[in-house]
Amino acid sequence: MSADDASPGPTTLWHGRLAGAPADALAALNDSLPFDQRMFAEDIAASRAHVSMLAAVGLLSDDECDGILAALEEVRSEIADGRMVWAPTDEDIHTAVERRATELCAAAAKMHTGRSRNDQVATDLRLWTRTAIDELTGLLLGLAGTLAGRAHEAHAAGVRLPGYTHLQQAQPVGLAHHLAAHAWALLRDVERLGDARRRTDVSPLGAGALAGSTLPLDPAAVAADLGFAAVFENSLDAVSDRDFVADTLYALAMSGIHLSRLGEEMILWASAEFGFVRLDDAFATGSSMMPQKKNPDVAELARGKAGRLIGHLTGLLATLKGLPLAYNKDLQEDKEPLFDAVDTVRAVAVAFDGLMQTVEFDADAMAAGADDPFAAATDLAEWLVAHGTAFREAHEIVAGLVRQALDAPDAGSRRSRLAELVAAHPDLGPEAAALLTPGSAHLSRNTPGAGGPDAVAAQLERLDVALTSARSLQDGR
Ligand code: ARG
């Protein structure tokens, strides 16, 4: 069907310029209503602020303003209650709200005065993003709090595990230290979201299509009405800036990466090979074929979904990179990745919080690795250093003993062999061999920020302070 065959008469808000109705294929590509209707509350809030400002500067009478505000409230409740009857010509949430408001109140034909969908959509999306950031910040702080709580528990119980480098057992650390490491990462995500929020919190309304207006608009009043911390400086920048979306997607991708890394550990730790954790049945799945299986799907999905979060960030950056000023329809591609990223991080953070609240740690399985005498090899070298040997020489002495001990036929005799060799060595002896007794290597590493119990106790206090101040910053918003 060509555009000329389409039925005549008003179709869209911009029909005046074009002779026929839009082709179905254009509408299918162009319409954003299916996904941008979730910004309806923000669109109506922004319209309320705009209409109030138009009245304040004399572009609407008080009666017109009251009538439009009442119509907007009716549209809001129709959409919220699912009573809104969408029209085929509603190409996006902005046109839908204006169309319906005008049906309810003729004066609403004036509500787009001095405004373009270009500044309108940027405003709506900033309002939506600000709220989403606040919600996700709360969820990530909740998960960080859960990790801190489990860390306190593990600390009180003296639980230790082998720390790893290259996924090879390296040096023992408190389980509290390990859990707190993930909590600090989440706190950085919260800070990143806070940075993104600050750049989101700027009102673009009043920029018009690209160049402002000939009418006496008051962008600062609109910004204040909507609770924005600042107002745009440049109308071209205001309608084309999507840095706040990229900032948010980066913060969410980073958070997804942190959740993925924690997920990867829970997957490994739940395996028979590690046996460090038992997942609660409520946060594990079974196999449709293998009756014995218990699978860590929550952790696997946390790991898998990091991929789509990274994709959303890189996708948006690619969309933005070639755009000339000012608004281009390409910018409509900002919403779906953002919405999906927010939904994804929400779902993962909530499920992961449940997993971490309920997971059981196997202190004995962890201690078996943590107390392996080979994990105390560095302690032997440092003992030699404390008694006057140069570190390089000390490293070589201990490495030689480790190599000899590893010649023993089985794991048990390798461990006792190392203790015997240390006790018999002229530079080491029984005092050094005592460093190999179970639990000792974990206890003695207490430099600032270290994994030993005294250092971890101090760290956990600082973690609690950081969590409290992040929460109060959040509550103050
Ligand atoms: N749906 C559009 C978007 O998401 C709204 C802005 C449309 N502006 C325009 N000039 N056609 O970006």
Side-chain angles (χ1 to χ4, degrees):
M1 182 181 82
S2 79
D4 291 343
D5 299 333
S7 55
T11 52
T12 63
L13 290 185
W14 35 261
H15 65 273
R17 163 69 180 80
L18 305 175
D24 290 347
L26 171 110
L29 177 65
N30 195 41
D31 290 3
S32 53
L33 185 65
F35 53 87
D36 67 17
Q37 58 177 280
R38 64 191 283 179
M39 301 193 304
F40 77 91
E42 290 78 11
D43 192 72
I44 287 167
S47 287
R48 289 181 62 92
H50 181 69
V51 165
S52 303
M53 179 276 293
L54 290 178
V57 301
L59 288 166
L60 288 177
S61 72
D62 288 348
D63 281 355
E64 288 171 327
C65 176
D66 292 348
I68 301 170
L69 292 181
L72 284 171
E73 176 48 29
E74 171 58 19
V75 178
R76 197 199 57 73
S77 77
E78 284 182 8
I79 300 177
D81 304 346
R83 286 182 289 120
M84 173 82 164
V85 182
W86 306 99
T89 50
D90 293 341
E91 67 176 283
D92 54 27
I93 188 62
H94 326 293
T95 52
V97 168
E98 186 181 335
R99 190 261 313 152
R100 181 68 188 130
T102 310
E103 283 168 10
L104 292 166
C105 168
K110 295 186 175 179
M111 76 187 238
H112 212 51
T113 304
R115 181 179 76 171
S116 158
R117 279 182 296 158
N118 299 352
D119 56 348
Q120 191 179 358
V121 71
T123 306
D124 295 1
L125 193 58
R126 283 174 183 270
L127 290 171
W128 190 92
T129 304
R130 200 174 60 176
T131 304
I133 286 175
D134 289 344
E135 187 209 346
L136 294 184
T137 298
L139 294 178
L140 293 176
L141 279 174
L143 177 55
T146 297
L147 290 168
R150 300 300 314 255
H152 276 287
E153 229 172 80
H155 181 67
V159 183
R160 54 195 184 274
L161 79 161
Y164 293 81
T165 63
H166 311 268
L167 202 56
Q168 305 288 318
Q169 294 187 357
Q171 294 175 338
V173 293
L175 174 60
H177 193 53
H178 196 109
L179 295 173
H182 289 294
W184 289 112
L186 292 175
L187 274 171
R188 290 195 298 276
D189 295 334
V190 164
E191 278 178 25
R192 265 184 284 275
L193 282 172
D195 289 344
R197 189 190 196 281
R198 192 167 46 77
R199 279 186 287 275
T200 300
D201 204 9
V202 179
S203 177
L205 203 54
L210 74 162
S213 177
T214 60
L215 299 166
L217 305 182
D218 185 354
V222 173
D225 195 351
L226 291 170
F228 278 113
V231 61
F232 70 95
E233 292 286 354
N234 178 307
S235 61
L236 292 170
D237 186 36
V239 292
S240 49
D241 171 18
R242 293 296 184 276
D243 294 8
F244 68 100
V245 182
D247 287 344
T248 305
L249 287 176
Y250 168 58
L252 295 181
M254 208 57 237
S255 176
I257 289 166
H258 288 142
L259 293 166
S260 171
R261 294 179 73 172
L262 179 57
E264 168 65 6
E265 285 184 345
M266 288 303 122
I267 294 161
L268 285 173
W269 289 10
S271 68
E273 287 71 14
F274 272 82
F276 284 4
V277 295
R278 272 177 301 278
L279 299 177
D280 190 274
D281 285 357
F283 291 94
T285 57
S287 156
S288 61
M289 183 181 184
M290 296 169 284
Q292 85 285 12
K293 289 296 293 292
K294 180 168 172 182
N295 293 328
D297 290 30
V298 168
E300 290 171 281
L301 286 167
R303 189 177 60 185
K305 285 183 187 292
R308 73 199 265 167
L309 292 168
I310 295 165
H312 289 328
L313 170 63
T314 56
L316 180 76
L317 294 175
T319 295
L320 296 178
K321 75 172 270 294
L323 298 185
L325 295 177
Y327 179 83
N328 301 271
K329 197 58 174 270
D330 315 45
L331 290 175
Q332 182 165 284
E333 291 297 306
D334 57 1
K335 281 171 258 337
E336 287 165 290
L338 178 66
F339 295 163
D340 185 73
V342 167
D343 293 342
T344 299
V345 171
R346 178 191 299 113
V348 172
V350 170
F352 223 117
D353 200 345
L355 184 149
M356 292 312 301
Q357 281 176 32
T358 54
V359 69
E360 240 182 82
F361 297 105
D362 188 326
D364 293 336
M366 291 182 176
D371 295 346
D372 187 308
F374 290 97
T378 316
D379 301 34
L380 293 173
E382 289 180 354
W383 187 90
L384 284 169
V385 166
H387 290 78
T389 310
F391 179 73
R392 201 40 65 207
E393 195 187 325
H395 185 283
E396 204 172 318
I397 292 170
V398 177
L401 298 182
V402 166
R403 205 157 6 94
Q404 279 185 56
L406 288 174
D407 286 340
D410 59 83
S413 53
R414 274 177 220 134
R415 290 191 191 105
S416 52
R417 184 84 188 104
L418 183 65
E420 288 158 20
L421 289 167
V422 170
H425 194 279
D427 296 332
L428 290 155
E431 195 193 317
L435 296 176
L436 303 182
T437 53
S440 131
H442 165 233
L443 296 177
S444 50
R445 205 167 266 98
N446 283 305
T447 45
D454 296 347
V456 168
Q459 179 198 162
L460 291 183
E461 275 178 36
R462 288 193 297 274
L463 180 60
D464 289 343
V465 169
L467 278 166
T468 305
S469 79
R471 282 191 203 109
S472 60
L473 201 69
Q474 165 77 352
D475 293 344
R477 277 173 185 153

